[in-house]
Amino acid sequence: MSVAPGVGDASAPIGVFDSGIGGLTVAREIMRQLPRERIIYVGDTARVPYGPKSPDTVRRYSREITAYLLEQGVKAVVVACNTATAHALPVLRAEAPVPVLGVVGPGARAAVAASPHRRIGVIGTVGTINSRAYEHAILALAAGAEVIARPCPLFVPLVEEGWLTHDATRLVATEYLAPIQQAHVDTLVLGCTHYPLLKPLLGELLGADVRLIDSAEETAAELGRALEQRGIAAPDGRGAQHRFLASDAPEQMLRLSQRFLGAAIERVETLDLG
Amino acid sequence: MSVAPGVGDASAPIGVFDSGIGGLTVAREIMRQLPRERIIYVGDTARVPYGPKSPDTVRRYSREITAYLLEQGVKAVVVACNTATAHALPVLRAEAPVPVLGVVGPGARAAVAASPHRRIGVIGTVGTINSRAYEHAILALAAGAEVIARPCPLFVPLVEEGWLTHDATRLVATEYLAPIQQAHVDTLVLGCTHYPLLKPLLGELLGADVRLIDSAEETAAELGRALEQRGIAAPDGRGAQHRFLASDAPEQMLRLSQRFLGAAIERVETLDLG
């Protein structure tokens, strides 16, 4: 990771990556909070999903994408994937010469701030849950907190099928959430960037007393602070031109961008990975 | 693909590959019908699933695995993955110096032989269905056949979750199968190596009048004939020692081998791909 022309350059873009399209929910929040920033988004759609893959493999993929983003001259990297954050954030931070932000820390902070009784549920992919990254991050902030974590491997394919309120999704969610409900959590972390699209259904099943935490908002806020602190926030008066790249099936990212990004993308470039 | 020490060697192993563990249902049938043959099985668990990926990417992965198997000295290659067969069989056959068999041709032949009224349904991944490989293969055998094809993207994650008869799986299957049932098919091709595990549920939903076709049996029979014709069937008296390789998470293949292979595997080696 030696080539990094974007280091310290306020006018350089922000690199954002995910295993696929879920990270567009984070890109969306960055665009909303930091409208002057340009984004280069990489979705590793050729190797999606990262959730069931081993930590070593997820680290290898994450380092490869980060190296690519640094070559493109980014001034900061946002790991907009919970599994990649859980497995790769320390190594990316150690190696990259620019700030690297993940979604787990911001999500844990938002959960602790929102939870009145410190009874916090976490749902995510098998990789994220097995890593216990959220549990560690929450306990570091609130030592006495009760954390109940549950993998929900069918949520990503259900969201990608577009079945956001389908009866099958309702049945799956009811089963996955049962241990979370039995533990009487007051806050639930949506520990996967696909899950915010299930918010209406999850909110209905859990009731209004359970706060649903989506890391995207807090991650974008933390990115804003990091850029300000380093004096590399984008200067005024520049029209933000974003780039979107996919390692496979760019037409799928185009098609699903409305759902995840809240806006249509005009063009998705193809990037060879793996 | 120049190194191929197994060409024409009857005592060489058979290479079998799939995007993941589904192809173990094909390996199982080869072991049953051809108990003298040794198998080297490669599951590309790092890059699973192939179903939603583009044809170019699936071809690239399939060529890489076939090259590896040829280096290992296989005398034949079985593409035990419908998506890889649909996209890559022609290029693998053109390049490999050993017989290469897919699962689509055998499945199509079995379906045409079983179907009394030539009204044939096909279910598979998005990649397999979009390729229209089964439709073309069936129509080449029975020009007037009616073929109704439907992608079922949630079946693979449901099978991998082990929810073979869960109410959610029943709801998903009911929705996916509706157009198949409305078309009054008499035969349904299970065009993905994961689907045979859903046979009990699918049989219950479709009723006894619809024949369910699993390509594995016919593929193993065709492999047996191909080896005999070329005089490279394994000689008598050799204890078949199989090898299993996974490009990621070998412990998952170990854990799921009982369900897919009908027998436990003692050891899974790791193979670096991508």
Side-chain angles (χ1 to χ4, degrees):
Chain A
M1 300 199 180
S2 54
V3 188
V7 177
D9 175 3
S11 66
I14 310 285
V16 180
F17 78 88
D18 177 40
S19 58
I21 52 179
L24 290 172
T25 60
V26 178
R28 172 188 197 158
E29 193 58 30
I30 296 172
M31 291 173 191
R32 196 183 68 78
Q33 291 188 32
L34 309 171
R36 295 205 299 259
E37 300 296 341
R38 280 187 298 145
I39 290 175
I40 300 184
Y41 182 91
V42 172
D44 193 4
T45 47
R47 300 183 295 200
V48 73
Y50 283 6
K53 294 186 170 66
S54 71
D56 276 352
T57 295
V58 171
R59 267 191 291 275
R60 184 155 56 89
Y61 293 173
S62 300
R63 292 174 72 195
E64 193 181 340
I65 297 169
T66 301
Y68 171 80
L69 288 170
L70 291 170
E71 279 168 30
Q72 300 301 303
V74 299
K75 63 183 174 185
V77 172
V78 176
V79 186
C81 169
N82 284 269
T83 310
T85 300
H87 296 320
L89 193 64
V91 68
L92 299 180
R93 280 194 168 150
E95 293 178 352
V98 302
V100 181
L101 286 85
V103 285
V104 170
R109 270 188 290 285
V112 168
S115 169
H117 305 104
R118 302 284 158 91
R119 301 187 65 82
I120 299 172
V122 179
I123 56 176
T125 66
V126 170
T128 299
I129 298 303
N130 284 353
S131 77
R132 306 184 71 171
Y134 271 104
E135 200 170 338
H136 294 148
I138 289 168
L139 293 175
L141 296 164
E146 191 87 35
V147 180
I148 300 92
R150 177 78 165 86
C152 302
L154 288 167
F155 278 176
V156 168
L158 284 164
V159 168
E160 299 215 332
E161 185 72 327
W163 290 14
L164 306 182
T165 56
H166 193 284
D167 282 345
T169 312
R170 188 177 294 267
L171 265 180
V172 171
T174 302
E175 178 148 341
Y176 281 159
L177 295 180
I180 303 277
Q181 290 185 291
Q182 281 153 21
H184 300 290
V185 303
D186 56 39
T187 303
L188 178 67
V189 179
L190 308 182
C192 170
T193 50
H194 277 72
Y195 297 180
L197 280 83
L198 294 173
K199 253 186 185 172
L201 176 66
L202 300 178
E204 184 195 324
L205 291 173
L206 292 170
D209 289 346
V210 178
R211 291 146 191 81
L212 300 181
I213 303 296
D214 161 3
S215 305
E217 202 172 322
E218 186 59 27
T219 302
E222 193 164 307
L223 173 65
R225 288 191 295 272
L227 298 176
E228 289 295 343
Q229 278 164 15
R230 286 169 175 81
I232 52 170
D236 251 335
R238 162 188 291 275
Q241 280 284 358
H242 309 298
R243 284 177 65 198
F244 298 91
L245 299 95
S247 55
D248 195 23
E251 69 289 352
Q252 202 208 6
M253 191 184 284
L254 266 182
R255 190 168 52 79
L256 294 175
S257 64
Q258 186 73 48
R259 191 183 302 157
F260 283 83
L261 195 65
I265 296 175
E266 277 178 30
R267 179 161 164 260
V268 175
E269 300 163 58
T270 302
L271 170 66
D272 271 341
L273 289 172
Chain B
M1 300 201 177
S2 54
V3 190
V7 177
D9 175 4
S11 66
I14 310 285
V16 179
F17 79 88
D18 178 39
S19 59
I21 51 180
L24 290 172
T25 60
V26 177
R28 172 188 198 159
E29 193 59 30
I30 296 172
M31 292 173 189
R32 196 183 68 78
Q33 291 188 32
L34 309 171
R36 297 204 298 259
E37 300 295 341
R38 281 186 298 144
I39 289 175
I40 301 184
Y41 182 91
V42 172
D44 192 3
T45 49
R47 301 185 294 200
V48 74
Y50 284 6
K53 293 185 170 66
S54 70
D56 276 352
T57 295
V58 171
R59 268 190 290 275
R60 183 155 57 90
Y61 293 173
S62 300
R63 293 174 72 194
E64 193 181 341
I65 298 170
T66 301
Y68 172 80
L69 288 169
L70 291 170
E71 279 168 30
Q72 300 302 301
V74 300
K75 64 183 174 185
V77 172
V78 176
V79 186
C81 170
N82 285 269
T83 310
T85 299
H87 295 320
L89 193 64
V91 67
L92 299 180
R93 280 193 167 152
E95 292 178 351
V98 303
V100 181
L101 286 85
V103 284
V104 171
R109 271 188 289 285
V112 168
S115 169
H117 305 103
R118 303 284 160 90
R119 299 188 66 80
I120 300 172
V122 180
I123 55 176
T125 66
V126 170
T128 299
I129 298 303
N130 284 353
S131 77
R132 306 184 71 171
Y134 271 105
E135 199 171 337
H136 294 149
I138 290 168
L139 292 176
L141 296 164
E146 190 87 32
V147 180
I148 300 91
R150 177 77 165 90
C152 301
L154 288 166
F155 278 175
V156 167
L158 285 163
V159 167
E160 299 214 332
E161 184 73 327
W163 288 15
L164 305 183
T165 56
H166 192 285
D167 281 345
T169 313
R170 187 178 296 267
L171 264 181
V172 171
T174 302
E175 178 148 339
Y176 282 161
L177 295 181
I180 303 276
Q181 290 185 290
Q182 280 155 18
H184 300 289
V185 305
D186 56 40
T187 303
L188 178 67
V189 179
L190 308 181
C192 170
T193 51
H194 277 74
Y195 297 179
L197 280 83
L198 294 173
K199 252 187 186 172
L201 175 66
L202 300 178
E204 185 196 323
L205 291 173
L206 291 170
D209 289 346
V210 177
R211 291 146 191 81
L212 299 181
I213 303 296
D214 162 2
S215 306
E217 202 172 320
E218 185 61 26
T219 302
E222 191 163 309
L223 173 64
R225 287 191 295 271
L227 298 177
E228 289 296 343
Q229 278 164 13
R230 286 168 176 79
I232 52 171
D236 252 333
R238 162 189 291 275
Q241 281 284 359
H242 309 298
R243 284 177 66 200
F244 298 91
L245 299 97
S247 55
D248 194 25
E251 68 289 351
Q252 202 207 7
M253 192 186 283
L254 267 181
R255 189 168 52 80
L256 294 176
S257 64
Q258 186 72 48
R259 190 184 303 158
F260 283 84
L261 195 65
I265 296 175
E266 278 177 31
R267 180 162 162 261
V268 175
E269 302 163 57
T270 300
L271 171 66
D272 272 341
L273 289 172

